[in-house]
C-alpha cells in the first residue's frame, strides 16, 4: 500500500512529525544539560503523542482509501481481507 496523502493531510502529518522532531531534539538537549527528570519525561511524552498522532493520521487515510475502494467494487474479497489484516497490524503497532 502506497502512502498517498492529499495536500492538507500531508501538510498536517508533516507538521506533526516536525513538531516531534523538535521535541526529541529538545529532550536530547535537556538530558545533556542534566535537566529535571520530570521535565524530560513530560517533553518525551509530548513527542510520543505527536508521533502517535502522525501515525494514526496515516492509518486513517489508508482506512478511508480502503473503504472507498471497497464501496467502488475495486477490491476482491481476498484483497479486502489482506488489506484489512495489514491495516490492523499497522494500527496495533501504534497501540
Amino acid at each position: 500500500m502506497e502512502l498517498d496523502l492529499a495536500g492538507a493531510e500531508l501538510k498536517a502529518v508533516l507538521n506533526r512529525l516536525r513538531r516531534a522532531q523538535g521535541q526529541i531534539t529538545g529532550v536530547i538537549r535537556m538530558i545533556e544539560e542534566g535537566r529535571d527528570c520530570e521535565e524530560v519525561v513530560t517533553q518525551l511524552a509530548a513527542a510520543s503523542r505527536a508521533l502517535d498522532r502522525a501515525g494514526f493520521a496515516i492509518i486513517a487515510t489508508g482506512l478511508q482509501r480502503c473503504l472507498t475502494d471497497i464501496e467502488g467494487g475495486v477490491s476482491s474479497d481476498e484483497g479486502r481481507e489482506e488489506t484489512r489484516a495489514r491495516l490492523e497490524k499497522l494500527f496495533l503497532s501504534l497501540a
Side-chain angles (χ1 to χ4, degrees):
M1 182 182 314
E2 291 181 23
L3 180 60
D4 184 26
L5 300 174
E9 295 166 332
L10 178 62
K11 184 177 180 181
V13 168
L14 290 175
N15 284 342
R16 289 186 190 280
L17 291 173
R18 286 186 183 106
R19 184 177 311 127
Q21 183 179 32
Q23 289 167 325
I24 291 169
T25 299
V27 168
I28 291 169
R29 187 174 51 252
M30 291 170 77
I31 291 170
E32 290 172 343
E33 294 171 354
R35 298 275 295 273
D36 179 65
C37 179
E38 189 174 342
E39 292 176 22
V40 172
V41 171
T42 299
Q43 286 304 307
L44 195 55
S48 178
R49 282 190 304 272
L51 289 172
D52 287 345
R53 287 181 179 267
F56 288 132
I58 291 169
I59 290 172
T61 300
L63 287 171
Q64 183 179 22
R65 188 198 289 120
C66 288
L67 290 174
T68 301
D69 288 350
I70 289 169
E71 289 171 357
V74 173
S75 298
S76 67
D77 287 341
E78 185 177 307
R80 283 192 299 252
E81 182 59 29
E82 180 183 329
T83 300
R84 187 205 59 78
R86 288 170 60 197
L87 287 168
E88 181 179 335
K89 183 178 178 181
L90 285 171
F91 181 77
L92 290 173
S93 72
L94 291 172

